[in-house]
Amino acid sequence: MTKKENILVAAQELFAKYGYAGTTMKMISERAGVAAGLVSHYYGSKENLFMVAGQEMIDSMLRMLRTRTATAEDGKQAVGLFVKAYLDFTLQNQATFPTLIRCSPFSDDNPDLDRETIGEKFKLLMEEIELHLRRGIEDGSIAAVPVEETAFMIYGCIIGAVRTVFLTPYDVPGLYEEACQFVMRSLEKH
Amino acid sequence: MTKKENILVAAQELFAKYGYAGTTMKMISERAGVAAGLVSHYYGSKENLFMVAGQEMIDSMLRMLRTRTATAEDGKQAVGLFVKAYLDFTLQNQATFPTLIRCSPFSDDNPDLDRETIGEKFKLLMEEIELHLRRGIEDGSIAAVPVEETAFMIYGCIIGAVRTVFLTPYDVPGLYEEACQFVMRSLEKH
Amino acid sequence: MTKKENILVAAQELFAKYGYAGTTMKMISERAGVAAGLVSHYYGSKENLFMVAGQEMIDSMLRMLRTRTATAEDGKQAVGLFVKAYLDFTLQNQATFPTLIRCSPFSDDNPDLDRETIGEKFKLLMEEIELHLRRGIEDGSIAAVPVEETAFMIYGCIIGAVRTVFLTPYDVPGLYEEACQFVMRSLEKH
Amino acid sequence: MTKKENILVAAQELFAKYGYAGTTMKMISERAGVAAGLVSHYYGSKENLFMVAGQEMIDSMLRMLRTRTATAEDGKQAVGLFVKAYLDFTLQNQATFPTLIRCSPFSDDNPDLDRETIGEKFKLLMEEIELHLRRGIEDGSIAAVPVEETAFMIYGCIIGAVRTVFLTPYDVPGLYEEACQFVMRSLEKH
DNA sequence: TATGAATGAGCGTTCATTCAT
DNA sequence: TATGAATGAACGCTCATTCAT
């Protein structure tokens, strides 16, 4: 790994653990094993590094989500696969995923940060869900729900489950399982 | 209003708008129209002021939620009233509600803050939902769902909707309406 | 005791324990059981209170020293009684004596404080020793030592012993006893 | 001189002149000709800088004292050389020596400071005196005095003389000379 | 005499960023 | 590419003192 990559990984881990304000450029340079000045040299500012760290994560997550939902046989199954894949991703990247939480437009961390670029990426996420919903409504596997609002609600469910697991002190084993079924139940036809 | 109360309201508004790190004691004292030292004098530290600001909000919200759900005729209706009342509260306190978001155990703002006391209050919230769910399962208005996990999922839905409205740049009119129905659908019997 | 006296005693105890900078007006008012403003009201400023606290102590010490040395039969015995009485006084006022240490011109606590008035009082102390020395040289009980310098050295010995006992972590039982004899030996004729 | 050394010297001079509380980090950075943040950067905290400043001084004093007493022909002469060398050191470092006074365990400056490390160094000083005393008692040049207590008294005499010269407004020419003789007289056999 | 709310200057410290090497 | 010494603005907080009551 190059020093530049070392810095990015160190940043993803530290922002995940200590938040934006709680992470200093010095902490990042130390964990990356480089001089203090190099972090600014490569990434310009702390804010920019934070955003690059988040973008890199959302990009690889989007790729994975598209792969995992490609095999779905109908819209409902696609939604199910999406939710499952998303939750899996958080568990496979436990040490760094909270950085994406803090970077997302749903974060309450630092309202001053310019989340525009990353906000567009999250919009793609939502549109992915909408795609699956429309397919499901057409192929009859999903009830006739309002597409945009329901996409937001599905993503909202994911947010709620992920935050419970990653941020709160509450221990709710089986929450991820139930999250999948909760979403599925809300799409069912009667 | 006393100066002490002025400070608390100013804090609730500023923490809501700029986050914990983005709000300075000086900003609070200026908005409250008092000398800088008085904020520390009354509330000890910035962290403590933040927690008091959050506690005051969760307390009044809990009172309101209990009143609003008291008239429910069955468990399902109680859950519906709960969600509706919660969302109404956020709209009636638009300028200050994000402080509660940042104070909650679901916040990603500052992982170092001691949210224990306020965490207990949020636990009560969850238990309130569980109560309604159990009632609904007993009286037959709600399907046989796992109580604890579903309570977390319902609160997770609320979190997702509230964060979308208060924190993201996305404009999704009718999201709150859909949130209620989304939750209701997931509780339906088949 | 009046509130004014309460304040003085509280000040003497707290300055003794925490030093000048380490003692706040609030601490004094709390220990005295009075409102914060009353301390300034009676004693003007913190510095002045500190000086008054010291003066009150040195006055009562001077009175005691004169009484205790009045019965001496010769100069040497007077010096011995002086040293003994001084050391006794420190032990009888353990909780407050360090305030006198910090107030004295030999203190290293705060070089900005105006110790003029209290400095005069300490000069009287030295002159008291000189008196006994002159008497001893005349009556033959003491060697022909230089009076002023020796007076300072005798007081210096007292300072050294008192500081060892009150300020350092060293435990030297019998130091006060030895201090008396050390001084006596240095005055002996050969 | 490096900026780091500049800071240490500036600190030694300012702590000497204004005491611990009376010296601010800003004063130190200004006298050293560096930015405010650099002082904390190199020395961590004000307290730590104070201790490092004192340690550096006591270390160089200890080295000098051992050199100067090495040539003594008997125990009594060694004690004499020790006292003389100590007093000389204070005069050769007039601008900085009071920092050592304030740093020592005999200081009344700030009872909260952790003087443990420097206290150990001062213990070595006392043990040095004890060494010379034992030698003197064995070789017959010194009377049979209690070693530990007498060592403390000798150091106490030094403290008294040094404080008179450095801290009080009193002018006693010849005090250092007399201090040497005062100590010597108290060790004499009869 | 007595209160305690209120002030505001000044403190030690942190940290993103710059820049000569 | 890489270093790390150096900057300086901004922070949270303390506390002697004032003053209306």
Side-chain angles (χ1 to χ4, degrees):
Chain A
M1 263 208 306
T2 66
K3 293 204 171 186
K4 188 171 178 183
E5 288 164 338
N6 276 337
I7 291 169
L8 194 64
V9 172
Q12 288 172 335
E13 289 170 355
L14 290 167
F15 284 135
K17 197 165 181 184
Y18 302 110
Y20 182 75
T23 302
T24 69
M25 297 291 264
K26 194 156 197 309
M27 285 161 73
I28 295 170
S29 69
E30 272 167 10
R31 171 171 295 222
V34 303
L38 202 61
V39 181
S40 293
H41 178 69
Y42 275 127
Y43 293 97
S45 69
K46 183 185 178 182
E47 176 170 345
N48 188 61
L49 171 56
F50 183 58
M51 288 309 161
V52 172
Q55 269 171 59
E56 198 274 334
M57 293 187 70
I58 185 84
D59 281 342
S60 77
M61 192 170 77
L62 267 169
R63 274 194 302 279
M64 182 276 300
L65 287 172
R66 279 162 181 160
T67 308
R68 290 273 295 268
T69 53
T71 61
E73 291 172 3
D74 60 32
K76 190 176 183 189
Q77 199 182 17
V79 172
L81 285 170
F82 182 97
V83 176
K84 183 73 170 60
Y86 193 107
L87 298 176
D88 282 353
F89 185 85
T90 69
L91 296 179
Q92 281 153 17
N93 300 275
Q94 289 199 52
T96 54
F97 191 77
T99 289
L100 196 47
I101 296 179
R102 296 181 211 288
C103 225
S104 87
F106 299 88
S107 164
D108 57 278
D109 189 333
N110 186 341
D112 283 347
L113 291 179
D114 175 23
R115 292 186 171 81
E116 207 164 319
T117 314
I118 224 159
E120 308 262 318
K121 295 271 173 61
F122 275 83
K123 200 81 220 302
L124 296 179
L125 221 57
M126 234 66 71
E127 283 161 15
E128 205 79 6
I129 304 177
E130 290 180 22
L131 215 71
H132 302 320
L133 284 177
R134 273 196 209 90
R135 179 180 171 193
I137 294 169
E138 268 175 41
D139 68 27
S141 60
I142 290 177
V145 295
V147 173
E148 195 190 9
E149 287 85 349
T150 304
F152 269 101
M153 283 315 302
I154 290 173
Y155 193 64
C157 281
I158 294 176
I159 288 176
V162 170
R163 286 183 173 260
T164 303
V165 169
F166 275 84
L167 302 173
T168 76
Y170 310 133
D171 184 31
V172 196
L175 184 62
Y176 273 8
E177 294 274 307
E178 184 55 27
C180 292
Q181 295 184 22
F182 189 91
V183 169
M184 290 297 104
R185 281 205 306 272
S186 74
L187 302 179
E188 230 140 69
K189 296 176 103 168
H190 287 194
Chain B
M1 260 210 306
T2 67
K3 295 207 171 185
K4 189 173 178 182
E5 288 164 340
N6 277 338
I7 292 169
L8 193 64
V9 173
Q12 288 172 335
E13 291 170 357
L14 290 166
F15 284 135
K17 196 166 182 185
Y18 302 109
Y20 183 76
T23 302
T24 70
M25 296 293 264
K26 197 156 192 314
M27 284 161 73
I28 295 171
S29 69
E30 273 167 10
R31 172 171 293 225
V34 303
L38 201 61
V39 181
S40 294
H41 176 70
Y42 277 127
Y43 294 97
S45 67
K46 184 185 179 183
E47 176 170 346
N48 188 62
L49 171 55
F50 182 57
M51 288 310 162
V52 172
Q55 267 171 60
E56 197 273 336
M57 295 187 69
I58 184 86
D59 282 341
S60 77
M61 191 171 77
L62 268 169
R63 271 195 304 277
M64 182 275 302
L65 287 170
R66 280 163 182 162
T67 307
R68 291 273 295 267
T69 53
T71 60
E73 289 172 4
D74 60 33
K76 191 176 184 192
Q77 200 182 16
V79 171
L81 286 171
F82 182 98
V83 176
K84 185 71 170 59
Y86 193 107
L87 298 175
D88 281 354
F89 185 86
T90 69
L91 296 179
Q92 282 153 15
N93 299 274
Q94 289 200 51
T96 53
F97 191 76
T99 289
L100 196 47
I101 296 180
R102 297 181 209 287
C103 226
S104 87
F106 299 88
S107 165
D108 56 278
D109 188 335
N110 184 340
D112 282 348
L113 290 179
D114 176 22
R115 293 184 169 81
E116 205 163 322
T117 314
I118 224 157
E120 309 255 320
K121 295 271 173 61
F122 275 83
K123 200 82 219 301
L124 296 178
L125 222 58
M126 235 66 73
E127 283 161 15
E128 205 79 4
I129 303 178
E130 291 180 21
L131 215 71
H132 302 321
L133 284 176
R134 270 195 212 92
R135 179 180 169 193
I137 294 169
E138 267 176 42
D139 68 27
S141 59
I142 290 177
V145 296
V147 173
E148 197 190 7
E149 288 85 350
T150 304
F152 269 100
M153 283 315 302
I154 291 173
Y155 194 64
C157 283
I158 294 176
I159 287 176
V162 170
R163 286 183 172 260
T164 303
V165 168
F166 276 85
L167 302 172
T168 75
Y170 310 133
D171 184 31
V172 195
L175 183 63
Y176 273 9
E177 293 275 307
E178 183 56 26
C180 292
Q181 296 184 21
F182 188 92
V183 168
M184 289 297 103
R185 283 205 305 273
S186 73
L187 301 179
E188 231 140 68
K189 297 177 103 167
H190 289 192
Chain C
M1 264 207 305
T2 67
K3 294 204 170 183
K4 189 171 179 184
E5 287 164 339
N6 276 339
I7 292 169
L8 194 64
V9 173
Q12 287 172 335
E13 289 170 356
L14 290 167
F15 284 134
K17 197 165 181 184
Y18 302 108
Y20 182 76
T23 302
T24 69
M25 297 291 263
K26 195 157 195 311
M27 285 161 74
I28 295 171
S29 70
E30 272 167 9
R31 172 171 292 222
V34 302
L38 201 61
V39 180
S40 293
H41 177 70
Y42 274 128
Y43 293 97
S45 69
K46 183 184 179 184
E47 176 170 345
N48 188 61
L49 171 56
F50 183 57
M51 289 309 162
V52 171
Q55 268 170 60
E56 197 273 338
M57 294 187 69
I58 185 84
D59 282 341
S60 78
M61 192 171 76
L62 268 169
R63 274 195 302 277
M64 182 275 301
L65 286 171
R66 279 160 181 162
T67 308
R68 290 273 295 267
T69 53
T71 60
E73 290 172 4
D74 61 32
K76 190 176 183 188
Q77 200 182 16
V79 172
L81 286 171
F82 181 98
V83 176
K84 183 73 167 60
Y86 193 108
L87 298 176
D88 282 354
F89 184 85
T90 70
L91 296 179
Q92 282 153 16
N93 299 274
Q94 289 200 50
T96 53
F97 191 76
T99 289
L100 196 47
I101 296 179
R102 296 181 209 287
C103 225
S104 87
F106 298 88
S107 165
D108 57 279
D109 189 335
N110 185 339
D112 282 347
L113 291 179
D114 176 23
R115 291 184 171 82
E116 206 163 321
T117 315
I118 223 158
E120 309 260 317
K121 294 272 173 62
F122 275 82
K123 200 81 221 299
L124 296 178
L125 221 59
M126 236 66 73
E127 283 162 14
E128 205 80 4
I129 304 178
E130 290 180 22
L131 214 73
H132 302 321
L133 284 176
R134 272 196 210 92
R135 179 180 170 193
I137 294 169
E138 266 175 42
D139 69 27
S141 59
I142 289 177
V145 295
V147 173
E148 197 191 7
E149 287 86 350
T150 304
F152 268 101
M153 283 314 303
I154 290 172
Y155 193 64
C157 282
I158 294 175
I159 288 176
V162 169
R163 284 183 173 261
T164 303
V165 168
F166 275 84
L167 301 173
T168 76
Y170 309 133
D171 185 32
V172 196
L175 184 63
Y176 273 8
E177 294 274 306
E178 185 56 27
C180 293
Q181 295 183 21
F182 189 90
V183 168
M184 290 297 105
R185 282 205 307 273
S186 74
L187 301 179
E188 230 141 69
K189 299 176 99 167
H190 287 193
Chain D
M1 262 209 306
T2 66
K3 295 207 171 185
K4 188 172 179 183
E5 288 164 340
N6 276 339
I7 292 169
L8 193 64
V9 173
Q12 288 172 334
E13 289 170 356
L14 289 166
F15 284 135
K17 197 166 180 185
Y18 302 109
Y20 182 76
T23 302
T24 69
M25 297 293 264
K26 195 155 195 313
M27 285 162 71
I28 294 170
S29 69
E30 273 168 9
R31 171 170 294 224
V34 302
L38 200 60
V39 180
S40 293
H41 175 71
Y42 276 128
Y43 293 98
S45 68
K46 183 185 179 183
E47 176 170 344
N48 188 60
L49 171 55
F50 183 57
M51 288 308 161
V52 171
Q55 267 171 59
E56 197 272 338
M57 295 187 68
I58 184 88
D59 282 341
S60 76
M61 191 171 78
L62 268 168
R63 274 195 302 277
M64 182 274 302
L65 286 171
R66 279 162 181 160
T67 307
R68 291 273 294 269
T69 53
T71 61
E73 290 171 4
D74 62 31
K76 191 176 184 189
Q77 201 183 14
V79 172
L81 285 170
F82 182 98
V83 176
K84 184 71 170 60
Y86 192 108
L87 298 176
D88 281 355
F89 184 87
T90 69
L91 296 179
Q92 282 153 15
N93 300 275
Q94 288 199 52
T96 54
F97 191 77
T99 288
L100 196 47
I101 296 179
R102 297 182 210 286
C103 226
S104 86
F106 298 89
S107 165
D108 56 279
D109 189 334
N110 185 340
D112 282 347
L113 291 179
D114 177 21
R115 294 184 169 81
E116 205 163 321
T117 314
I118 224 158
E120 308 256 320
K121 295 271 173 62
F122 274 83
K123 200 81 221 298
L124 296 179
L125 221 60
M126 236 65 74
E127 283 162 14
E128 205 80 4
I129 304 177
E130 290 180 23
L131 214 72
H132 302 321
L133 283 176
R134 272 195 210 91
R135 179 180 171 192
I137 293 169
E138 266 176 43
D139 68 26
S141 61
I142 289 176
V145 295
V147 172
E148 197 191 6
E149 287 86 350
T150 304
F152 268 100
M153 284 314 303
I154 290 173
Y155 194 65
C157 282
I158 294 175
I159 287 175
V162 169
R163 285 182 173 262
T164 303
V165 168
F166 275 84
L167 302 172
T168 75
Y170 310 134
D171 184 33
V172 196
L175 183 62
Y176 272 9
E177 294 275 306
E178 185 56 25
C180 293
Q181 295 182 20
F182 188 91
V183 168
M184 289 296 105
R185 283 205 306 272
S186 75
L187 301 179
E188 229 139 70
K189 298 177 102 167
H190 288 190

